Amino acid sequence: MSVVNARAALYEVLDERFRSGRCALGDRQLEILHRGSRWAEGPLYVPAARSLVWSDIPNDRLLRWDETTGEVGVFRSPAGHPNGNTLDGQGRLVTCEQGNRRVTRTEHDGSVTVLADRYRGRRLNSPNDAAVRSDGSIWFSDPEFGIASDYEGHRAESEIGARNVYRIDPDTGEVRLVADGFSGPNGLVFSPDESRLFVSDSIANHIRVFDVREDGTLSGGDVFVSCAKGNFDNIRFDDAGRLWAAAMEGGVHCYHPDGTLLGRLLVPETVANIRFGGPRRNRLFIAGTTTIYSLLMSVTGLPPLPGVHETRPVGD
């Protein structure tokens, strides 16, 4: 492993709450876990395996870093030009396969189950990111990035003709449209109490927030924040309710629950995805184009299924 700090400061403090909330404490440099991806996305820490899995989309593979040995190997190839990854309530890998235009689950025996590949009989565009709610439902975004060219999937026309967010029912497997009106829906994450769903739109370059009703439908959809530097990709919460966003050339942004941009992490490569992990969930994994970076922090990420865990209030 090696470290890098290619800029004068790793932490850019824009609001004093970034400092008082201990967001600017921790390692003073980024650790490099692996170089050699063509376009890295979807980092996912798997606690039971003490490992990190991520997608190398153009190379059509999932890679795996072993936390105990530091070794990196191929987890699956070909892998359907995978993008976002998450875990369900049983610790099974859920993957958005852009090239295969589907959402899949990797069973404990290694077999792959297709969870969704169509909506009302029409093929999905290219599933991008997924989030699992504590009721077992799986929510995913479906832009057109994987069918726009042969670089991250396979060039094709959209059969649906729109870019939406969908919900997979945990009992019936029904794929239901829950939110539309997007230009490029990308990262999505539930608030700590699961009462709201946040969705980034990489083309409109903002994050929208929806209220989640008891029946799994959504209301609202107002813009929570817009990106002034970079472009939003995926988003994650820490356990104090702050929203962290991968912002491409803008590094990693941190937002207070009131929408204030508190600060940034300055990364020497374009940041597509982030994920909290490690045994204490205080290690931020950053997918930066060709490189997987790691940063041990003084903040703790939200657990994979936030609704089942208590959270602490964010400091002023």
Side-chain angles (χ1 to χ4, degrees):
M1 298 179 189
S2 58
V3 297
V4 61
N5 188 7
R7 309 200 186 192
L10 173 61
Y11 304 93
E12 182 180 19
V13 179
L14 302 175
D15 185 292
E16 186 54 34
R17 290 173 293 182
F18 193 63
R19 198 188 311 276
S20 64
R22 304 183 65 82
C23 300
L25 296 178
D27 286 347
R28 308 311 299 176
Q29 66 281 318
L30 295 169
E31 181 180 7
I32 296 173
L33 302 185
H34 180 260
R35 287 194 187 274
S37 295
R38 193 176 295 274
W39 181 252
E41 292 221 32
L44 171 69
Y45 184 76
V46 184
R50 293 286 303 276
S51 65
L52 184 80
V53 174
W54 75 92
S55 302
D56 185 0
I57 304 176
N59 286 327
D60 193 14
R61 61 184 182 175
L62 285 166
L63 297 175
R64 176 182 176 273
W65 169 76
D66 189 316
E67 186 176 34
T68 61
T69 66
E71 296 296 320
V72 173
V74 175
F75 179 77
R76 184 158 64 228
S77 180
H81 293 89
N83 196 321
N85 300 286
T86 192
L87 294 176
D88 71 2
Q90 297 183 41
R92 296 171 296 187
L93 176 66
V94 175
T95 300
C96 293
E97 299 181 7
Q98 287 192 166
N100 290 333
R101 300 169 71 170
R102 65 187 191 180
V103 180
T104 63
R105 181 180 65 219
T106 301
E107 309 295 346
H108 292 305
D109 63 4
S111 61
V112 176
T113 299
V114 177
L115 301 177
D117 60 1
R118 282 172 168 77
Y119 171 65
R120 293 185 173 177
R122 298 179 179 180
R123 292 191 71 187
L124 298 171
N125 298 323
S126 57
N128 186 282
D129 195 16
V132 178
R133 203 160 179 248
S134 57
D135 64 0
S137 59
I138 298 172
W139 305 57
F140 67 93
S141 57
D142 188 40
E144 296 181 356
F145 305 141
I147 59 174
S149 72
D150 293 319
Y151 183 72
E152 294 186 56
H154 306 288
R155 184 192 301 271
E157 295 294 323
S158 171
E159 295 184 13
I160 295 175
R163 299 157 293 276
N164 304 317
V165 172
Y166 300 94
R167 175 185 184 270
I168 305 173
D169 187 273
D171 299 318
T172 66
E174 175 192 10
V175 178
R176 185 172 71 192
L177 170 66
V178 290
D180 56 13
F182 296 96
S183 300
N186 199 318
L188 69 168
V189 67
F190 288 100
S191 61
D193 62 0
E194 294 190 324
S195 66
R196 296 189 293 172
L197 177 71
F198 291 74
V199 184
S200 70
D201 189 320
S202 294
I203 295 178
N205 209 16
H206 57 221
I207 297 172
R208 295 170 62 186
V209 57
F210 299 84
D211 293 319
V212 184
R213 302 188 183 101
E214 289 186 8
D215 63 356
T217 59
L218 301 179
S219 62
D222 293 340
V223 173
F224 175 63
V225 292
S226 295
C227 189
K229 184 177 182 180
N231 285 86
F232 285 136
D233 201 299
N234 89 319
I235 46 182
R236 300 290 172 215
F237 272 104
D238 65 25
D239 68 351
R242 291 173 293 248
L243 183 66
W244 296 75
M248 305 296 276
E249 293 84 1
V252 180
H253 293 191
C254 175
Y255 293 91
H256 190 272
D258 65 11
T260 302
L261 177 59
L262 301 177
R264 300 186 181 98
L265 304 179
L266 304 180
V267 181
E269 289 186 88
T270 297
V271 178
N273 275 194
I274 55 175
R275 173 78 70 164
F276 287 102
R280 298 184 179 182
R281 299 193 309 277
N282 64 337
R283 192 173 192 172
L284 185 67
F285 297 99
I286 302 170
T289 314
T290 64
T291 307
I292 297 295
Y293 298 96
S294 167
L295 181 68
L296 195 64
M297 304 184 72
S298 293
V299 300
T300 302
L302 203 65
L305 293 178
V308 251
H309 300 266
E310 293 182 358
T311 58
R312 57 186 177 85
V314 66
D316 293 330

